[in-house]
């Protein structure tokens, strides 16, 4: 069964350091999403790609967060510098058709100390 | 402002009985709704969805009901099994505009099914 891959699964970093997360969507899925889930809340969308183009980054804190999907396949989400409030689960998802079922990866648990 | 609300943080049900998880939404533009199940340390797993043109969708033990006038949907699990114990998230999306594809999630309901 095809799955969304993410790495690393866990990351501990110090405040002000840079951190990066990687996602490989299900093969053939044109739409890729990055969500952030804070403990006790539901996931919130950070950025959405259609192929290699960003189509929704309205909730991305652009002063410290960046995302790219250069060849329209895998994607990287970066935080620089990390802050204590960035501690959360970062989830990647993909869908075959924008607006319909999204399939999530296992997530990266980030702890900023 | 929470546009999708799950007002029950937890639900406990005996094995074999029906589990009913509820969800309310405020945005009348939402026209597609989904339920996800999440185990600890894993990503959410898609369960079932429903379009606003329907009022019911069924898949095995899972049925989702949509009441558009009340802006309310519910997930029924019959019969409930211990392996169903997880956090269930309700999500909604609007099929238009720049936010097409953005899922709005509730805070989740922890379902515990006991033997």
């Amino acid at each position: 069964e095809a799955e969304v891959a993410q790495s690393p699964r866990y990351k501990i970093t110090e405040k002000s350091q840079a951190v990066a997360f990687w996602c490989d969507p299900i093969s053939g899925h044109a739409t890729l999403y990055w969500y952030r889930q804070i403990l006790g809340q539901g996931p919130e969308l950070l950025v959405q790609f259609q192929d290699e183009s960003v189509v929704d980054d309205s909730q991305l804190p652009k002063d410290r967060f960046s995302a790219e999907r250069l060849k329209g396949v895998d994607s990287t989400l970066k935080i620089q510098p990390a802050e204590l409030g960035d501690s959360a689960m970062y989830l990647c998802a993909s869908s075959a058709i924008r607006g319909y079922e999204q399939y999530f990866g296992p997530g990266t648990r980030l702890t900023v100390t | 402002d929470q546009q999708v609300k799950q007002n029950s943080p937890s639900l406990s049900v005996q094995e074999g009985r029906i589990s009913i998880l509820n969800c309310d939404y405020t945005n009348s533009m939402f026209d597609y709704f989904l339920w996800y199940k999440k185990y600890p340390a894993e990503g959410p797993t898609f369960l079932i969805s429903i379009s606003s043109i329907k009022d019911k969708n069924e898949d095995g033990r899972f049925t989702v009901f949509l009441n558009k006038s009340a802006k309310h949907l519910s997930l029924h699990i019959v019969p409930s099994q211990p392996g169903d114990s997880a956090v269930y998230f309700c999500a909604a999306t609007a099929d238009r505009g720049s936010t097409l594809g953005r899922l709005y999630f509730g805070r989740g309901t922890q379902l515990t099914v006991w033997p």
Side-chain angles (χ1 to χ4, degrees):
Chain A
E1 182 177 309
E3 295 181 342
V4 175
Q6 288 188 250
S7 67
R9 291 294 307 276
Y10 303 92
K11 181 69 177 179
I12 300 174
T13 191
E14 293 184 347
K15 186 175 61 173
S16 79
Q17 296 297 303
V19 64
F21 315 127
W22 177 81
C23 171
D24 191 14
I26 293 172
S27 178
H29 280 194
T31 314
L32 184 147
Y33 314 80
W34 283 101
Y35 286 85
R36 177 171 60 186
Q37 184 182 13
I38 297 170
L39 193 63
Q41 298 183 19
E44 291 185 335
L45 182 73
L46 291 173
V47 61
Q48 178 182 176
F49 290 90
Q50 182 68 26
D51 299 309
E52 67 276 4
S53 300
V54 173
V55 294
D56 183 359
D57 63 355
S58 56
Q59 301 303 308
L60 187 71
K62 299 181 186 63
D63 57 335
R64 298 185 300 108
F65 286 65
S66 64
E68 60 183 16
R69 192 184 184 199
L70 293 176
K71 296 182 180 178
V73 180
D74 59 339
S75 175
T76 302
L77 178 69
K78 297 180 181 177
I79 308 175
Q80 182 173 18
E83 296 181 352
L84 295 177
D86 296 332
S87 294
M89 174 76 85
Y90 289 83
L91 294 160
C92 179
S94 68
S95 64
I97 302 174
R98 189 181 174 198
Y100 290 91
E101 287 79 9
Q102 298 177 21
Y103 297 89
F104 285 80
T108 297
R109 168 67 67 188
L110 173 66
T111 301
V112 182
T113 62
Chain B
D1 183 29
Q2 196 80 8
Q3 299 187 54
V4 177
K5 300 178 183 179
Q6 294 177 258
N7 293 320
S8 298
S10 64
L11 175 68
S12 182
V13 172
Q14 187 174 24
E15 180 179 7
R17 301 221 178 226
I18 184 171
S19 294
I20 300 176
L21 297 102
N22 294 302
C23 177
D24 298 293
Y25 61 97
T26 58
N27 190 339
S28 58
M29 300 292 282
F30 289 151
D31 53 15
Y32 198 72
F33 304 88
L34 308 92
W35 284 94
Y36 284 83
K37 176 171 72 173
K38 187 179 183 302
Y39 294 117
E42 295 184 12
T45 302
F46 169 72
L47 268 179
I48 191 169
S49 61
I50 187 167
S51 166
S52 59
I53 62 174
K54 296 185 176 181
D55 55 18
K56 176 183 175 181
N57 189 26
E58 194 171 351
D59 184 1
R61 296 186 298 114
F62 302 92
T63 303
V64 56
F65 295 91
L66 175 62
N67 183 334
K68 284 179 60 180
S69 60
K71 294 190 177 67
H72 177 83
L73 62 157
S74 61
L75 175 68
H76 293 210
I77 307 174
V78 183
S80 301
Q81 299 173 355
D84 296 330
S85 297
V87 177
Y88 287 78
F89 289 99
C90 172
T93 187
D95 188 20
R96 65 199 73 195
S98 61
T99 60
L100 170 64
R102 172 190 292 265
L103 288 181
Y104 295 83
F105 283 85
R107 291 179 179 264
T109 297
Q110 171 69 58
L111 173 65
T112 302
V113 181
W114 48 280

